[in-house]
Amino acid sequence: MTGELNATRERWLAARLALLEEEKELTRRSDALALKRQQLPRVRIDKQYRFDTESGNASLQDLFGGRSQLLVYHFMFGPDYSAGCPSCSSIADGFNGFFVHLENHDVAFWAVSRAPLTKLLAFRQRMDWSFPWASSAGSDFNSDFSVWFSAEQQLRGEIEYNYRREPPAPEPREGRTVAEWEQPDGESPIGQIAAMTGTDVPTYVRDRPGVSAFELIDGAVYHSYSSYARGLDGLWGMYQWLDRAPKGRNETGIWWRHHDRYGKE
């Protein structure tokens, strides 16, 4: 939707000042929500998760690196993917700029995925990233934090993602082409993304994105917060800019790519 054309500066200023009051109210509301996140109850994590990192095998406590807080981005990169999820990759393009600041403010930051560490590090090198990335392969970490589901859960309707249960998949769909998944006469948006990871749709969507926060208190790890789906919008840097562009998000489908693939298709 385009605003009024050929408006006077005075008319623009009046509309802008009215909008500014709404923006300020949104900021105040956002500050209040942030405080409520901090006040959520803590759940003690007693299960011993193990991760493969560049420094060797590590526990969840080890990921804190001497800090009292830990933020984990659940990056969609399953063992069958040939490349990371392009949506997660777009979000991760901003990680290099801020993770060093978090680490110097008592907050450890890690991306965690199910793919083997060698595959994760190879993709990180391709993307020219440097943020810490750990493999949770062989552990229940992704399952326990609701960002990975089995084929059986998919078929039986036992997937609970973003605090909602999803309907069952009507039939096994491994090996189906992208076009056969939802739209027999064309490629679905989710199919386009799955193709960018080298998988079919059911394999792709068994991994999910999310963010989780943990706190280390007297040597014990506590889970404080997790968010999924549109709850990650605030972490997706390009959308914060697009929301301020004249045409906004201006989307009609999947337009983003891995940043090294633009202009190559």
Side-chain angles (χ1 to χ4, degrees), residues 83-132:
C85 165
S87 300
C88 287
S89 297
S90 175
I91 294 174
D93 280 333
F95 292 173
N96 277 3
F98 70 71
F99 85 89
V100 64
H101 298 287
L102 296 178
E103 290 185 338
N104 283 278
H105 196 59
D106 194 34
V107 180
F109 173 84
W110 285 83
V112 174
S113 305
R114 292 192 311 119
L117 183 63
T118 53
K119 186 177 284 191
L120 300 179
L121 296 183
F123 186 68
R124 188 180 72 174
Q125 182 177 21
R126 169 188 155 184
M127 294 287 100
D128 196 27
W129 295 331
S130 59
F131 57 82

Side-chain angles (χ1 to χ4, degrees), residues 5-24:
L5 297 178
N6 299 319
T8 64
R9 181 71 179 180
E10 290 75 18
R11 184 167 176 80
W12 176 88
L13 183 59
R16 179 66 188 92
L17 290 175
L19 179 63
L20 180 61
E21 289 305 310
E22 294 188 57
E23 289 179 331
K24 288 182 175 181

